[in-house]
Amino acid sequence: MVQIRYQWWRDAVGAAFSSSGAIPVPQHPVIQALHTVLQHGVPLKKYHFSRLIDTREQDMVDSQPPLTMEGLETYAEGTASQLLYLQLGAAQVSSREADHAASHLGKAVGIITLLKGTAFHAASRRSYMPIELCAKHGVSQEDIYEGKTTDGLRDVVLAVASTAKANLEEARALQPKMPKQACGLMLPALSCQKYLQALEKSNFDPFDPSLLDLKRGAMWHVLQVKWHLINNTF
């Protein structure tokens, strides 16, 4: 059933991209909007949609945690990075540096999104903590499912968060070489930084409920976003 659903999206996106009109475009608001945008010549690439659908489908079919940190990065790049690539396309930004930054920032966003969802996923007996890292630090999947914050889990989370931070820094290092209009699309970097700082304050406890307190520092975050938007930075 899951694979049927994802195949529908593949076919629907394919219809939206079809220039011949031989394939009817489904009467779905998202697909109709995509078709209209493409008809107006916005340079979106079908590959990014396909990669996103394939990655999501694989995640639903295989519920096992990624084996390595590289596997987790691949998942993040196949989801969050693809969305950033599409935003760059929608903004008609063509820049190798912007694409490179989107790849790194997407990995950071994807990894941090999964860190934020650790407790939620654990409640459904799912985990995205790399198996090799867990084995190295003596963390069992049952520990994670039961919400146990052990020293080993803190070490695993530290390693995962460090990878996200490294990708965030790689993206920001490219900012001086990027077109100004691309910088506004990279503002999720600020949320990444905010979460990583909060995670460090919690001593890398992914189950700390304060990490999901959306009101904490909200006004300061809004001001930071506005400042970076005005200055074309992220």
Side-chain angles (χ1 to χ4, degrees):
M1 184 61 71
V2 168
Q3 290 169 303
I4 292 174
R5 184 184 306 165
Y6 283 102
Q7 187 58 48
W8 183 92
W9 279 105
R10 285 192 191 90
D11 295 342
V13 168
F17 273 89
S18 176
S19 58
S20 66
I23 306 174
V25 180
Q27 295 299 310
H28 186 286
V30 172
I31 299 301
Q32 287 288 319
L34 173 60
H35 182 65
T36 300
V37 165
L38 293 170
Q39 291 291 99
H40 283 81
V42 177
L44 300 180
K45 294 182 179 179
K46 184 181 177 182
Y47 168 80
H48 298 311
F49 288 97
S50 298
R51 178 81 185 277
L52 180 59
I53 292 169
D54 289 347
T55 303
R56 291 292 192 191
E57 180 183 38
Q58 182 60 32
D59 181 51
M60 292 295 292
V61 171
D62 182 5
S63 61
Q64 292 299 309
L67 178 62
T68 63
M69 191 64 239
E70 290 76 15
L72 183 58
E73 285 187 285
T74 298
Y75 174 81
E77 209 274 337
T79 52
S81 294
Q82 303 308 309
L83 293 175
L84 287 173
Y85 292 141
L86 288 168
Q87 289 178 56
L88 288 172
Q92 301 191 38
V93 174
S94 180
S95 163
R96 181 177 298 178
E97 288 77 17
D99 286 344
H100 194 186
S103 174
H104 284 293
L105 180 57
K107 290 177 184 178
V109 170
I111 291 170
I112 288 170
T113 299
L114 293 174
L115 282 172
K116 287 180 179 179
T118 299
F120 173 81
H121 292 130
S124 301
R125 295 186 65 80
R126 290 211 63 179
S127 169
Y128 289 88
M129 298 297 112
I131 292 173
E132 284 189 357
L133 270 178
C134 289
K136 177 181 176 181
H137 296 287
V139 178
S140 71
Q141 293 303 308
E142 286 300 322
D143 288 341
I144 297 174
Y145 299 154
E146 294 174 11
K148 294 180 180 178
T149 304
T150 62
D151 289 341
L153 180 60
R154 292 183 194 273
D155 290 335
V156 170
V157 172
L158 170 59
V160 173
S162 295
T163 299
K165 184 178 180 181
N167 277 291
L168 176 60
E169 291 172 348
E170 288 278 358
R172 283 177 159 168
L174 291 161
Q175 181 259 310
K177 302 178 182 179
M178 290 169 52
K180 290 183 179 179
Q181 63 267 36
C183 293
L185 302 175
M186 304 294 165
L187 289 174
L190 302 181
S191 294
C192 289
Q193 178 179 324
K194 180 182 177 183
Y195 179 80
L196 289 173
Q197 290 172 340
L199 185 62
E200 184 175 6
K201 287 182 180 178
S202 75
N203 194 21
F204 300 98
D205 176 4
F207 297 110
D208 187 334
S210 69
L211 293 173
L212 300 180
D213 183 1
L214 300 179
K215 295 181 180 179
R216 185 175 61 179
M219 182 57 68
W220 174 241
H221 179 70
V222 170
L223 292 174
Q224 282 185 309
V225 169
K226 289 183 178 295
W227 188 90
H228 281 281
L229 190 60
I230 291 170
N231 289 278
N232 295 308
T233 56
F234 59 91

